[in-house]
Amino acid sequence: MTNVLRTFGKGAAALTIVGDIGKGILAVLLAKWAFGAFTAADPIYGAYIAAFCAVLGHVYPVYFGFKGGKAVSVATGTIIAIKPVLILPLLAVFFIVFLCSKMVSLASICCAAAYPAVTFLYFHFVAGRDVVLTTCCAAVIGGLVIWLHRSNIQRIKNGTEYKFGRKKK
Protein backbone atom coordinates (compact mmCIF):
# COMPACT_ATOMS: atom_id res chain seq x y z
CA MET A 1 0.00 0.00 0.00
CA THR A 2 2.79 2.45 0.83
CA ASN A 3 4.42 1.83 -2.54
CA VAL A 4 1.08 2.43 -4.27
CA LEU A 5 0.67 5.65 -2.25
CA ARG A 6 4.10 6.93 -3.29
CA THR A 7 3.63 5.88 -6.92
CA PHE A 8 -0.04 6.48 -7.70
CA GLY A 9 -1.42 8.66 -4.92
CA LYS A 10 -4.01 8.55 -2.18
CA GLY A 11 -6.96 7.24 -4.18
CA ALA A 12 -5.13 4.18 -5.46
CA ALA A 13 -3.63 3.57 -2.02
CA ALA A 14 -7.07 3.70 -0.40
CA LEU A 15 -8.42 1.16 -2.90
CA THR A 16 -5.39 -1.04 -2.33
CA ILE A 17 -5.69 -1.07 1.45
CA VAL A 18 -9.45 -1.73 1.33
CA GLY A 19 -8.92 -4.56 -1.16
CA ASP A 20 -6.04 -6.12 0.78
CA ILE A 21 -7.79 -5.95 4.16
CA GLY A 22 -10.97 -7.25 2.53
CA LYS A 23 -9.06 -10.14 0.97
CA GLY A 24 -7.78 -11.19 4.41
CA ILE A 25 -11.20 -10.83 6.04
CA LEU A 26 -12.98 -12.77 3.30
CA ALA A 27 -10.49 -15.65 3.34
CA VAL A 28 -10.77 -16.11 7.11
CA LEU A 29 -14.56 -15.74 7.25
CA LEU A 30 -15.03 -18.30 4.47
CA ALA A 31 -12.70 -20.74 6.22
CA LYS A 32 -14.41 -20.25 9.58
CA TRP A 33 -17.76 -20.92 7.93
CA ALA A 34 -16.49 -23.98 6.03
CA PHE A 35 -14.83 -25.50 9.09
CA GLY A 36 -17.95 -24.88 11.14
CA ALA A 37 -20.31 -26.25 8.51
CA PHE A 38 -18.37 -29.22 7.15
CA THR A 39 -16.04 -30.46 9.88
CA ALA A 40 -16.13 -31.24 13.57
CA ALA A 41 -12.95 -29.17 14.01
CA ASP A 42 -12.93 -25.83 15.77
CA PRO A 43 -13.35 -23.04 13.17
CA ILE A 44 -10.25 -21.32 14.61
CA TYR A 45 -8.16 -23.97 12.80
CA GLY A 46 -9.66 -23.01 9.48
CA ALA A 47 -9.25 -19.34 10.32
CA TYR A 48 -5.51 -19.64 10.84
CA ILE A 49 -4.99 -21.90 7.82
CA ALA A 50 -6.81 -19.33 5.69
CA ALA A 51 -4.90 -16.45 7.27
CA PHE A 52 -1.57 -18.07 6.46
CA CYS A 53 -2.68 -18.90 2.91
CA ALA A 54 -4.00 -15.37 2.33
CA VAL A 55 -0.68 -13.91 3.47
CA LEU A 56 1.33 -16.33 1.31
CA GLY A 57 -0.94 -15.70 -1.66
CA HIS A 58 -0.39 -11.97 -1.28
CA VAL A 59 3.38 -12.32 -0.99
CA TYR A 60 3.70 -14.80 -3.88
CA PRO A 61 0.80 -14.08 -6.27
CA VAL A 62 0.58 -16.38 -9.28
CA TYR A 63 -0.69 -13.61 -11.58
CA PHE A 64 2.22 -11.25 -10.84
CA GLY A 65 5.08 -13.68 -11.30
CA PHE A 66 5.17 -14.60 -7.59
CA LYS A 67 6.24 -11.06 -6.68
CA GLY A 68 3.84 -9.42 -4.26
CA GLY A 69 3.69 -7.17 -1.27
CA LYS A 70 4.78 -7.47 2.33
CA ALA A 71 1.33 -8.58 3.51
CA VAL A 72 0.75 -6.07 6.30
CA SER A 73 -2.73 -5.07 5.08
CA VAL A 74 -3.77 -8.65 4.34
CA ALA A 75 -2.52 -9.78 7.75
CA THR A 76 -4.51 -6.92 9.29
CA GLY A 77 -7.64 -8.21 7.58
CA THR A 78 -7.02 -11.73 8.84
CA ILE A 79 -6.56 -10.46 12.40
CA ILE A 80 -9.82 -8.50 12.18
CA ALA A 81 -11.68 -11.61 10.99
CA ILE A 82 -10.08 -13.98 13.51
CA LYS A 83 -10.63 -11.84 16.60
CA PRO A 84 -11.46 -8.16 15.97
CA VAL A 85 -10.50 -7.05 19.48
CA LEU A 86 -6.86 -7.93 18.77
CA ILE A 87 -6.57 -5.15 16.23
CA LEU A 88 -7.03 -2.38 18.84
CA PRO A 89 -3.75 -2.83 20.75
CA LEU A 90 -1.94 -3.49 17.48
CA LEU A 91 -3.24 -0.22 16.03
CA ALA A 92 -2.04 1.53 19.18
CA VAL A 93 1.44 0.04 18.66
CA PHE A 94 1.37 1.03 15.00
CA PHE A 95 0.39 4.65 15.60
CA ILE A 96 2.75 5.19 18.54
CA VAL A 97 5.73 3.83 16.59
CA PHE A 98 4.70 5.66 13.42
CA LEU A 99 4.22 9.00 15.19
CA CYS A 100 7.61 8.67 16.87
CA SER A 101 9.56 7.42 13.84
CA LYS A 102 7.55 8.50 10.76
CA MET A 103 8.37 5.07 9.32
CA VAL A 104 5.49 2.88 8.19
CA SER A 105 7.85 -0.07 7.86
CA LEU A 106 9.08 0.18 11.46
CA ALA A 107 5.52 0.52 12.74
CA SER A 108 4.51 -2.54 10.69
CA ILE A 109 7.48 -4.56 11.98
CA CYS A 110 6.64 -3.63 15.58
CA CYS A 111 3.01 -4.69 15.07
CA ALA A 112 4.12 -8.01 13.60
CA ALA A 113 6.38 -8.54 16.61
CA ALA A 114 3.60 -7.60 19.03
CA TYR A 115 0.96 -9.78 17.36
CA PRO A 116 1.94 -13.07 19.10
CA ALA A 117 2.15 -11.36 22.50
CA VAL A 118 -1.22 -9.65 22.09
CA THR A 119 -2.72 -12.95 20.93
CA PHE A 120 -1.27 -14.82 23.90
CA LEU A 121 -2.51 -12.23 26.39
CA TYR A 122 -6.01 -12.22 24.95
CA PHE A 123 -6.46 -15.96 24.62
CA HIS A 124 -4.82 -16.69 27.99
CA PHE A 125 -6.51 -14.05 30.14
CA VAL A 126 -9.75 -13.26 28.31
CA ALA A 127 -10.80 -16.17 26.09
CA GLY A 128 -9.18 -18.86 28.22
CA ARG A 129 -8.65 -21.32 25.38
CA ASP A 130 -6.50 -22.24 22.38
CA VAL A 131 -3.52 -20.31 23.76
CA VAL A 132 -0.79 -22.47 22.22
CA LEU A 133 -2.42 -22.79 18.80
CA THR A 134 -3.35 -19.14 18.45
CA THR A 135 -0.03 -17.85 19.76
CA CYS A 136 2.01 -20.15 17.51
CA CYS A 137 -0.08 -19.23 14.46
CA ALA A 138 0.26 -15.53 15.27
CA ALA A 139 4.03 -16.00 15.67
CA VAL A 140 4.29 -17.67 12.26
CA ILE A 141 2.32 -14.90 10.54
CA GLY A 142 4.10 -12.13 12.47
CA GLY A 143 7.49 -13.73 11.79
CA LEU A 144 6.74 -13.95 8.08
CA VAL A 145 5.79 -10.27 7.94
CA ILE A 146 9.02 -9.34 9.77
CA TRP A 147 11.08 -11.55 7.44
CA LEU A 148 9.48 -9.85 4.43
CA HIS A 149 10.67 -6.52 5.84
CA ARG A 150 14.34 -7.55 6.05
CA SER A 151 15.38 -5.00 3.42
CA ASN A 152 13.55 -2.31 5.39
CA ILE A 153 15.30 -3.45 8.57
CA GLN A 154 18.65 -3.06 6.82
CA ARG A 155 17.72 0.45 5.66
CA ILE A 156 16.58 1.34 9.19
CA LYS A 157 19.98 0.16 10.50
CA ASN A 158 21.74 2.24 7.82
CA GLY A 159 19.59 5.30 8.49
CA THR A 160 18.30 5.33 4.91
CA GLU A 161 14.72 4.10 5.40
CA TYR A 162 11.99 6.31 3.96
CA LYS A 163 10.26 8.53 6.49
CA PHE A 164 6.66 9.35 5.69
CA GLY A 165 6.17 12.88 4.38
CA ARG A 166 9.77 13.41 3.32
CA LYS A 167 10.82 13.55 -0.31
CA LYS A 168 13.22 10.87 -1.52
CA LYS A 169 16.64 12.19 -2.45
Side-chain angles (χ1 to χ4, degrees):
M1 188 276 305
T2 54
N3 289 335
V4 172
L5 175 64
R6 284 190 289 253
T7 307
F8 298 107
K10 293 176 186 173
L15 287 174
T16 300
I17 198 164
V18 167
D20 287 349
I21 289 172
K23 179 170 43 178
I25 290 171
L26 185 62
V28 169
L29 291 180
L30 283 172
K32 281 172 125 178
W33 170 79
F35 265 65
F38 301 114
T39 73
D42 188 333
I44 197 83
Y45 297 119
Y48 276 107
I49 291 168
F52 186 69
C53 291
V55 167
L56 278 182
H58 182 80
V59 174
Y60 303 109
V62 174
Y63 296 110
F64 295 116
F66 300 100
K67 294 177 185 171
K70 295 186 180 174
V72 174
S73 298
V74 173
T76 300
T78 67
I79 294 165
I80 291 168
I82 289 169
K83 192 54 79 174
V85 71
L86 298 179
I87 206 68
L88 298 174
L90 294 173
L91 283 174
V93 168
F94 182 90
F95 285 113
I96 290 167
V97 173
F98 176 73
L99 290 172
C100 293
S101 70
K102 300 293 186 220
M103 288 185 262
V104 172
S105 61
L106 182 59
S108 299
I109 292 163
C110 289
C111 281
Y115 178 38
V118 168
T119 300
F120 172 81
L121 292 171
Y122 176 80
F123 281 95
H124 182 71
F125 292 109
V126 179
R129 68 187 229 353
D130 298 322
V131 175
V132 174
L133 169 78
T134 56
T135 303
C136 288
C137 290
V140 168
I141 292 169
L144 178 59
V145 170
I146 292 169
W147 182 77
L148 292 166
H149 281 82
R150 61 196 182 281
S151 61
N152 300 84
I153 293 168
Q154 189 60 49
R155 286 192 299 272
I156 291 167
K157 284 182 184 177
N158 296 338
T160 58
E161 179 67 344
Y162 175 77
K163 291 190 177 187
F164 197 78
R166 293 192 182 159
K167 299 287 182 191
K168 279 193 169 184
K169 294 177 183 178

